[in-house]
Amino acid sequence: MIAVRSGIGAPGGRGRRERRHHGRVDAEDFRQVRNAVRQLVRESVVPREEQIEDEDRIPDDLRAQAADMGLFGYALPEEYGGLGVTMSEDVQLAMEFGYTTPAFRSIFGTNNGIAGQVIAKFGSDEQKKAYLPRLAAGELIGAFALTEAEAGSDPAGLRTTARRDGDEWVINGSKRYITNAPIADLFVVFARSNPDERGGRGISSFVVETSTPGVTVGPKDKKMGQAGAWTAEVFFDDVRVPVDALIGEEGRGYSKALTVLSRGRLHIAALCVGMAQRVLDESVAYAATAQQGGAPIGRFQLVQGMLADMHAELLAGASLVREVAARYDSGEDTSVGPSSAKLFCTEMVGRATDSAVQIHGGMGYLRTTPVERFYRDARLFRLYEGTSEVQRVIIGGALLREAGMRRDPPAPHHSQARGGPLQEGR
Ligand SMILES: Cc1cc2nc3c(=O)[nH]c(=O)nc-3n(C[C@H](O)[C@H](O)[C@H](O)COP(=O)(O)OP(=O)(O)OC[C@H]3O[C@@H](n4cnc5c(N)ncnc54)[C@H](O)[C@@H]3O)c2cc1C
């Protein structure tokens, strides 16, 4: 059952509808949602991009508009205040979000994605009731705390510990690069609860509120791009949480991380398609008007060639994302497809932003030119939620296992012995 909230299908809350039906949001309602998102992105966020870049923050009024439209919970279940979109719908929204500065999506990205999904999929009824409605409303910000120093591509080697002490868990350790940490109200924290287990086994996940004594968030990181999206280190120093802060089964935290990261990869692939569309639009507009020798640079066939390659690759990425999302929804492929889409689309947008800078010539190197900003912003996509190399390891490994090849035998001092990079089935 799903209710179309006021606002999201009707900007400003006008035209409130309460269309309920079995299953997901219907096609017409979703079309309205997507149109409202497109309008918000293109009319309200795009004109503020330079301000977001300069101030390194999302203005409060834009955050409020996103909350009013229900964007903090579009992927969370309807019974907890979200819209419960399918993956096929999620990627369509992500393509819209990708058209502007990634920081806008980031402010509600962890609520809908990596943090919120762990609670939605694996949390107890009490945890869902306590957190999901407030995450969906944008009253709380959730962050996903997995990565540590020396445990990034291979998070199964994480060192944060959770020790049971009576009715409490005591968490010690530190995390780094945690998106939204400086504004987070709660963390979904991954910690080793069983020191005797190696690799992914023995890792559990916990909801830890930022206000819990012993939780400290470091200063926000200075990054190459994506200004306005904040990351920071998070420290857990004898942090005591009640036993019911454990999410799902003890020792199953790693597989939860893999499940939500897989969904996140497909979402990121779709963001990249949106960004590629934006830099293509910027480049076409520039090539059609910027003059050399008394005529637009777009008359040069080598410039046309760059535009053509960007367009063909963008279409390929968009088609790939839609196909993989449909297979994700049907349950046919929730791992290799998302990794393939992330690999292709993140590399594709890297080429697209590079060509966009090239087409803009010297102008493309100036800080005030949007494509210069997108060139820096795009670089992150190949790094987080699994690097391109990790996606290749996942895809190649899965294909070979399907063909009957056995995993490497465990060997001391080899990363695979600890769990290996983010691969499902570990
Ligand atoms: C802006 C930003 C936001 C982030 N947000 C979050 C967040 O919200 N939550 C969170 O938990 N994490 C977050 N991360 C962490 C991110 O997921 C990791 O940085 C990423 O997975 C890479 O890990 P690493 O930095 O430790 O690099 P490493 O794993 O040290 O990788 C270094 C190089 O080695 C290669 N490599 C490593 N292992 C293999 C292998 N097995 N095979 C081939 N090559 C390999 C990598 O591909 C890469 O080229 C964020 C990072 C950034 C920069």
Side-chain angles (χ1 to χ4, degrees), residues 329-377:
D329 284 335
S330 72
E332 189 186 331
D333 177 4
T334 56
S335 171
V336 174
S339 282
S340 302
K342 182 176 188 281
L343 173 62
F344 179 82
C345 293
T346 58
E347 300 274 337
M348 178 275 289
V349 79
R351 291 189 290 275
T353 51
D354 188 76
S355 296
V357 169
Q358 197 67 17
I359 289 166
H360 281 72
M363 187 67 81
Y365 201 67
L366 299 192
R367 275 284 155 114
T368 47
T369 309
V371 296
E372 181 275 342
R373 178 163 31 79
F374 284 113
Y375 177 79
R376 288 181 287 111
D377 289 349

Side-chain angles (χ1 to χ4, degrees), residues 144 146-147 152-153 177-179 231 380 383-385 387 389 421:
F144 178 87
L146 176 66
T147 302
S153 295
Y177 314 138
I178 305 308
T179 299
T231 60
L380 177 60
L383 296 171
Y384 71 173
E385 301 210 19
T387 63
E389 291 73 34

Side-chain angles (χ1 to χ4, degrees), residues 94-247:
M95 288 188 220
E96 300 299 335
F97 299 140
Y99 201 77
T100 189
T101 172
F104 178 65
R105 193 265 348 174
S106 233
I107 201 156
F108 47 80
T110 47
N111 280 24
N112 286 292
I114 47 183
Q117 291 296 328
V118 177
I119 299 173
K121 278 189 196 307
F122 307 104
S124 63
D125 283 347
E126 288 69 31
Q127 287 167 341
K128 289 180 194 174
K129 276 185 212 144
Y131 298 115
L132 293 182
R134 298 183 68 201
L135 286 171
E139 291 165 17
L140 296 179
I141 298 286
F144 178 87
L146 176 66
T147 302
E148 300 179 2
E150 298 182 25
S153 295
D154 185 3
L158 62 79
R159 295 196 183 123
T160 295
T161 57
R163 178 177 52 82
R164 181 77 186 255
D165 182 20
D167 285 346
E168 293 179 322
W169 287 96
V170 187
I171 301 175
N172 277 287
S174 65
K175 302 285 176 179
R176 68 176 177 185
Y177 314 138
I178 305 308
T179 299
N180 283 337
I183 54 168
D185 301 286
L186 61 98
F187 293 95
V188 171
V189 182
F190 295 82
R192 187 166 298 285
S193 52
N194 184 345
D196 300 329
E197 291 271 22
R198 309 184 76 199
R201 289 189 203 91
I203 293 174
S204 298
S205 52
F206 303 87
V207 191
V208 179
E209 296 182 13
T210 314
S211 56
T212 315
V215 177
T216 322
V217 177
K220 67 178 168 153
D221 299 321
K222 291 183 180 163
K223 312 194 305 319
M224 176 192 292
Q226 303 213 359
W230 296 349
T231 60
E233 281 185 277
V234 188
F235 304 93
F236 301 91
D237 189 9
D238 277 334
V239 173
R240 289 183 169 268
V241 290
V243 279
D244 58 13
L246 176 74
I247 305 175

Side-chain angles (χ1 to χ4, degrees), residues 237-269:
D237 189 9
D238 277 334
V239 173
R240 289 183 169 268
V241 290
V243 279
D244 58 13
L246 176 74
I247 305 175
E249 219 181 304
E250 189 185 332
R252 300 296 298 158
Y254 190 65
S255 58
K256 293 185 191 89
L258 298 179
T259 309
V260 298
L261 282 169
S262 189
R263 188 187 164 108
R265 287 169 183 156
L266 189 44
H267 178 87
I268 286 171

